Amino acid sequence: MSQEESPHKDFSPVHPDDYWIRHLLFPWEFPKGDKLHPKFLENFLKKLKPPPKERPWFLEISGRMLSQANDVEEFANRRVEEIKRKNPKIQAAFRGIIYQKVSIIREIDTYDVFHEPTHKDSAHANLVRLKEYSEVQGEMSHSVIRELVSKLQWVKANSSELTNLLKHGLHQ
């Protein structure tokens, strides 16, 4: 779907060669081991409220599109400062990012990424679920997000992997 085809002008599909990224700021967000566990996103998604009614998706996870995010670490650190001003006791710090190329996210037929710039962030992009989640005994089905979790990658802050991703991620 091109931007001209998008039913609303305030969001548009992200180019398939771009990357969706999300900062990891809290200890409970950072994955343990070398893979994300489905519970990592499941617990996060349960707390989300649905997007506005005019959006063509059921749930969204806020993030950014890498091609527009020229300030990944600085943006994360500003976010940490905002959070700590509101609650000085919270353990917020830039810990890393989860990310994936948009074309890979779209391989899962129920997920997509839309650019939705805000007044605070021109690189704002939502990873969205286009359908409702199925439930098993009143709980979100693990199978619904298992494939998404298996596709997402993560990298720690202050690492050579993050530096390489930010410098070369889109230029390979």
Side-chain angles (χ1 to χ4, degrees):
M1 182 188 311
S2 71
Q3 188 166 359
E4 294 78 41
E5 296 172 289
S6 180
H8 303 283
K9 294 186 190 277
D10 56 348
F11 61 88
S12 59
V14 173
H15 192 278
D17 290 333
D18 210 333
Y19 286 77
W20 175 83
I21 65 171
R22 179 176 172 82
H23 299 96
L24 299 169
L25 303 178
F26 303 102
W28 58 87
E29 287 183 314
F30 204 78
K32 293 186 184 329
D34 62 350
K35 292 190 177 197
L36 293 172
H37 188 279
K39 281 277 187 197
F40 170 74
L41 279 181
E42 180 183 334
N43 291 333
F44 177 78
L45 291 169
K46 283 181 180 178
K47 296 174 187 172
L48 289 177
K49 58 184 179 188
K53 296 270 188 246
E54 65 272 7
R55 300 297 185 262
W57 53 81
F58 180 71
L59 285 175
E60 63 187 38
I61 304 172
S62 292
R64 307 181 81 203
M65 50 190 281
L66 186 57
S67 67
Q68 300 292 314
N70 300 322
D71 60 346
V72 172
E73 294 175 272
E74 295 85 1
F75 184 89
N77 289 323
R78 284 193 305 273
R79 217 28 218 119
V80 166
E81 289 173 16
E82 289 172 17
I83 291 165
K84 285 187 171 187
R85 268 195 301 275
K86 291 178 186 174
N87 183 354
K89 294 181 180 179
I90 199 157
Q91 296 180 343
F94 178 41
R95 299 170 191 284
I97 62 171
I98 55 175
Y99 69 96
Q100 189 49 270
K101 193 172 187 177
V102 172
S103 62
I104 293 173
I105 293 169
R106 287 188 179 136
E107 290 175 0
I108 311 167
D109 70 339
T110 56
Y111 292 95
D112 205 340
V113 180
F114 286 89
H115 181 217
E116 190 170 19
T118 67
H119 68 282
K120 285 186 173 182
D121 184 14
S122 62
H124 183 85
N126 293 312
L127 189 160
V128 305
R129 170 120 175 126
L130 300 170
K131 299 178 191 174
E132 287 192 47
Y133 284 102
S134 59
E135 292 186 358
V136 176
Q137 297 178 343
E139 292 289 321
M140 185 182 302
S141 169
H142 292 291
S143 65
V144 172
I145 58 173
R146 188 173 289 126
E147 189 174 2
L148 174 63
V149 170
S150 73
K151 302 273 186 193
L152 293 176
Q153 297 180 28
W154 63 274
V155 63
K156 290 183 179 181
N158 303 318
S159 67
S160 59
E161 293 88 359
L162 179 60
T163 302
N164 288 335
L165 175 69
L166 297 179
K167 284 184 180 178
H168 308 292
L170 298 173
H171 309 294
Q172 295 175 348

